[in-house]
Structures are given as C-alpha cells and as structure tokens.
Amino acid sequence: MFFIYLRRELRRRRKAALVVASGLALGIALVIVVNSVSSGMNRAQDKVLESLYGLGTDMTVTKAAAPPGEGDTTRKPRFAFDAKGDNDAAQSKDLVMVEGFETLAASTVAQVGKQDGVADAVGGLSVRVMKVNGQFKRGEVQQQPGQQRGGPATGEVQGGGAAFDVNSYTVYGTDVAHQGLGPLTSSKITSGRTFKSTETAAKAAVVDSAYAKEQKLTVGKTITVKGTKYSIIGIATADSGDAAANVYLPLAQAQTLADAKNKVTTVYVQATDSQRIDSIKQAIQKNISGTTVTTSADLADTVSGSLSTASDLAAGVGKWLSYLVLAAAFLVAGLLTSAAVSRRVREFGTLKALGWRSGRVTRQVAGEALVNGLVGGALGIGIGLAGAWAITAFSPTLTAQLGGGGGGGGGRVFAGGGGQGGPARQAASRALDIALTAPVSLTTIGLAVALAVAGGLVAGGFGGWRASRLRPADALRRVE
C-alpha cells in the first residue's frame, strides 16, 4: 500500500517533485564540481612539488647556508690561468661549487633513516659547474713614423686582449644504489638507460633532454667536467618540462668534482605513513641538530601564480558558495514539501478518518520527499560529473611559480628562499605550466548520495511535522 500510494502521488505531482529534485540537483552538482576541482588543485600542486624533489618524497633535510662574513671569499668564484709559452693559446677552466646549502655529513642520511616512521632516506649533492673558455691575444707595438729599424721598440700597443665565454650548468649527484627517491625520479628516460645500482663510481652521466638539445648531446657522446670525461648513458625528460639539474652523475663522482667527499646537500625522506609527517619532522629536528626539515606542506605555501589563486578560490569561495546553494536547496525543498502538505489537508484528514495514524501519514510524506531527494541526487551526480568532465577535457592551464624571490647563485630560486629543500627549478625565469584536471572520487560520489538522502529527509521532516499536526475533524472542514 505504501509504495502504491507513493507512486501515485509522485506521478500526480510531477511538476512539484521536479522542482524539488532540480533544486537539490543544483546544490549537489556544485558540491561535486567544487570538490573535484579542489582535488585537481591538490594533484597539480603535488605535481609541482614532485617536479622539485621527485616522486615519493615527503620531506627534505638540509642545512641552511650561513651568511657570508666580512672578507669571506669562499663562495666567490675565482679563476686562475697559467701562461702557456710565448704563443697565444686557448684557455679553459672548470669551477665546481656546491650550490645552495651548507653540506651535511653523509652519515646524516643513516641518522635520518633510523628515525621512527621513516621508510627510506637518500642523500644527494647539488652542484654548479662554471666553465670558462677563451683565448689571450698579444698586442703589437706600432712603431712611430721615422723610427729606425732595429732600434728599441717605442710607440703604442694596439690589438690584443682576451675574450672568454662563461657557460654555467647544474649537476646533481644521485645515489645510484637507491634511486627510488630524489629529483631524478620525476624524469623519464627517453633515450638510453638510467644508472645501474652497481655504477656507484662509474664515469657515466644522464643528461636532461632540454640541455642535451641545447648542447647537441646524445647517448654515446661524452661530457667533460673538470678534466674528467663522462659517457652519456641516457637522456631524461622531466615530467613537468623543467628538470632539477642539467646533468646527473653518481653521487661519489659529484662529491669528487666538488671536493666534498662524504658530503651531501639534501636528504630526501619518505615516511611510512603520511599522517606521521609532522611527528617525523619534529623528531629529526630534535635528534639531528643544525638541520632544516621541509615538508610538502611547507613547500605548498611557496607556490604562487594562477595555480595558487585558483586553489584559494576553490578552497574558499567555491566551498562557501556550494554550502550556501546546498543550504538554500534544502530549505526550498522543505518549504515546497510543507506547502504541498498544506494543499493536501483534506486528503490527509480523510486518511486519518479512515484509520491512518499520524505516524503513517508522516512516513508517507517523508517517503515521497526521500524519493524526490534521490532523484535530485541522481540528477546532481550526472550534472556534476558532466561539469568535472568538461573541466578535464578543456584542461585549463595554470601557472605555478616556486619560491618567494630568495635564491641561490646563478639565478636559481630555492623553495622557501631560505635554504629549504633540494635542487629547485629555475622558477624565477621559467614558471611551470600545469594542466588542471577535475578527478571525481568515489568519496565525492558517496558524499553526493548522502546529501541527496539528507535533502530528502530534511524536506520530509518539514512536511511530516506539518502533516502530523493535522486533526481529522479540522481537516475535513477545510476546502482545498
């Protein structure tokens, strides 16, 4: 009887049911779109952070560089060239410097790995190579008019001088025995191969594709750093389009080049559980003095540009707007259901006179409202999925810029500006473009279903309360 009466009433009041369902559908669809866009923002931000420090890295451990004191020249590049006979000769010199941070002892990696909650820890060394190529040219003394041949040379020296080109590029020393963490994990090998775990001291190099194209480097060729030739075994392309370094070398080789034996600049850390990141950070800072621990949440605060703006809108304005629309939809559904009950006073009075109890009338009204809510939920899920699909299909491009203007040498900006993290991208001159997607999770769909049921119950509650207050005698005296 309940379902027969329910079906008849819904068919008889199709327009009112459609209005209630449409209002709920609009609010639920907006919630789905906002939640999916927020999820897409988080993914985009994660992609930016992964492009910085590599896939799977939850935090990094570094030591901030001390500000140079007065008269301190240790971080200033200095080139010295030797005279090579009487003839003009080309000169070439490489200066290899640790970049960005104070070095940490390699034993720090093991210390970090022993902390409770740490699944893996890997060290890396960030290095900059400055290569100077050029040639000295002797000047010639121009004799004065009337000067006798064979006499002492007098007059002006003309010509000569020196012309040098400076080429600067970045090198990252990676622990080839543990390649699951670090910036190289955010790049894919598109030619050749990556390092083997046994090549800890091999004279082998993996080169970023953009740098390889610029310098016309291919697999099988060699690259010379500080007089040592390294065979190029692979070309890597960064997922974000902007690599962490131009050249990747085994950690031991990078340490030798930079005269930083048993030193690292960054320890990349992976946690056993994302919920324990904050406690792991506190433990590392407490047990390993002088270190700076930077989590992905810390780095997220340094992301600016349209990605940050859109994320703020989705997280702030979008959510509040969806809440307001949803609340309005619930209220309208409740009021419409209550108004429908008012128009059915005589009907309910008759049913009560025939023996229906107030509880049965209330359940009948609540059942009708619940069906309206489920219909609205189905419509809302459909509209929300269509909106999320449209956003993913068009994939609007957002710009993410890392760092807040601070940085290391060579125009490179380091996340946080104050010696946090590892080798960062050249965000100051080249921002990262990220395509926005709007993934819809099962959790979001479950939330939509819950909201649909809640909307139906709210509307049914309004109408049922109104219907339960009717008295048969009063109802029968009223005219629709």
Side-chain angles (χ1 to χ4, degrees):
M1 182 66 182
F2 174 81
F3 292 104
I4 295 174
Y5 194 83
L6 178 66
R7 185 173 65 253
R8 184 181 66 81
E9 287 302 316
L10 290 175
R11 289 181 60 184
R12 190 162 64 92
R13 305 177 187 279
R14 287 193 296 267
K15 290 184 179 180
L18 185 60
V19 171
V20 173
S22 298
L24 290 174
L26 179 61
I28 291 171
L30 189 57
V31 170
I32 291 176
V33 171
V34 170
N35 274 275
S36 61
V37 169
S38 296
S39 179
M41 295 296 177
N42 292 333
R43 284 194 181 185
Q45 216 166 53
D46 289 342
K47 189 173 182 180
V48 172
L49 301 182
E50 285 175 4
S51 72
L52 267 176
Y53 299 128
L55 186 66
T57 304
D58 293 314
M59 65 186 75
T60 56
V61 180
T62 58
K63 184 178 181 181
E70 186 176 352
D72 183 8
T73 60
T74 56
R75 295 183 59 84
K76 295 179 181 179
R78 183 175 181 272
F79 294 90
F81 295 99
D82 296 329
K84 296 185 178 180
D86 295 331
N87 299 323
D88 296 340
Q91 300 276 0
S92 180
K93 191 85 171 182
D94 284 356
L95 181 64
V96 182
M97 301 180 298
V98 174
E99 184 181 39
F101 311 105
E102 288 288 336
T103 56
L104 295 165
S107 59
T108 306
V109 179
Q111 288 181 273
V112 172
K114 292 178 182 178
Q115 302 301 311
D116 185 35
V118 174
D120 198 7
V122 175
L125 185 70
S126 183
V127 172
R128 176 169 291 276
V129 179
M130 297 184 68
K131 190 178 189 69
V132 177
N133 294 296
Q135 185 178 12
F136 291 103
K137 292 184 178 180
R138 292 179 177 274
E140 295 182 355
V141 179
Q142 299 295 325
Q143 292 183 343
Q144 297 291 341
Q147 181 179 355
Q148 295 182 355
R149 290 183 177 273
T154 59
E156 296 182 356
V157 178
Q158 297 183 358
F164 286 86
D165 293 326
V166 179
N167 178 30
S168 176
Y169 59 94
T170 55
V171 173
Y172 174 69
T174 181
D175 188 346
V176 298
H178 302 86
Q179 299 187 56
L181 287 177
L184 188 53
T185 60
S186 63
S187 296
K188 295 180 180 178
I189 301 297
T190 52
S191 179
R193 63 176 178 85
T194 188
F195 298 104
K196 296 179 181 178
S197 59
T198 56
E199 293 178 324
T200 54
K203 291 182 173 58
V206 173
V207 181
D208 174 60
S209 57
Y211 185 72
K213 182 178 180 180
E214 177 186 337
Q215 299 296 322
K216 297 181 174 58
L217 299 173
T218 58
V219 174
K221 288 188 176 182
T222 60
I223 182 171
T224 303
V225 184
K226 206 174 181 180
T228 303
K229 290 186 177 181
Y230 294 89
S231 176
I232 299 175
I233 61 172
I235 304 296
T237 302
D239 293 338
S240 67
D242 194 10
N246 302 127
V247 179
Y248 300 90
L249 297 177
L251 179 58
Q253 289 293 329
Q255 290 170 335
T256 300
L257 291 173
D259 194 21
K261 188 177 181 180
N262 295 325
K263 299 288 185 181
V264 295
T265 51
T266 309
V267 181
Y268 302 90
V269 183
Q270 186 178 42
T272 56
D273 186 351
S274 61
Q275 302 299 320
R276 302 186 62 183
I277 289 179
D278 289 338
S279 63
I280 295 172
K281 175 180 178 179
Q282 294 174 5
I284 294 174
Q285 290 178 328
K286 177 182 178 181
N287 299 328
I288 307 175
S289 61
T291 57
T292 299
V293 182
T294 306
T295 67
S296 56
D298 298 329
L299 289 176
D301 295 335
T302 71
V303 177
S304 60
S306 60
L307 174 61
S308 178
T309 302
S311 180
D312 291 341
L313 287 174
V317 178
K319 284 188 177 181
W320 278 110
L321 179 61
S322 64
Y323 293 158
L324 289 174
V325 171
L326 195 61
F330 281 14
L331 181 61
V332 169
L335 292 176
L336 288 176
T337 303
S338 180
V341 170
S342 297
R343 291 192 294 271
R344 298 166 64 185
V345 169
R346 188 172 184 181
E347 173 189 340
F348 290 139
T350 303
L351 291 174
K352 281 192 171 187
L354 293 174
W356 281 39
R357 294 182 179 276
S358 296
R360 187 175 180 182
V361 173
T362 301
R363 287 194 298 273
Q364 192 69 47
V365 174
E368 295 174 13
L370 184 60
V371 172
N372 288 336
L374 292 176
V375 172
L379 290 174
I381 290 174
I383 297 172
L385 290 177
W389 175 85
I391 293 173
T392 303
F394 286 102
S395 296
T397 300
L398 300 176
T399 300
Q401 187 155 338
L402 301 164
R412 288 171 64 85
V413 173
F414 291 84
Q420 298 176 355
R425 305 293 190 263
Q426 296 180 8
S429 58
R430 189 170 45 179
L432 300 177
D433 290 332
I434 304 294
L436 176 65
T437 58
V440 180
S441 64
L442 292 177
T443 303
T444 302
I445 295 178
L447 175 63
V449 173
L451 291 174
V453 173
L457 293 176
V458 168
F462 269 93
W465 172 79
R466 186 72 180 271
S468 66
R469 297 182 50 143
L470 295 174
R471 291 188 301 173
D474 294 338
L476 292 174
R477 284 198 298 266
R478 297 181 59 176
V479 180
E480 282 187 308

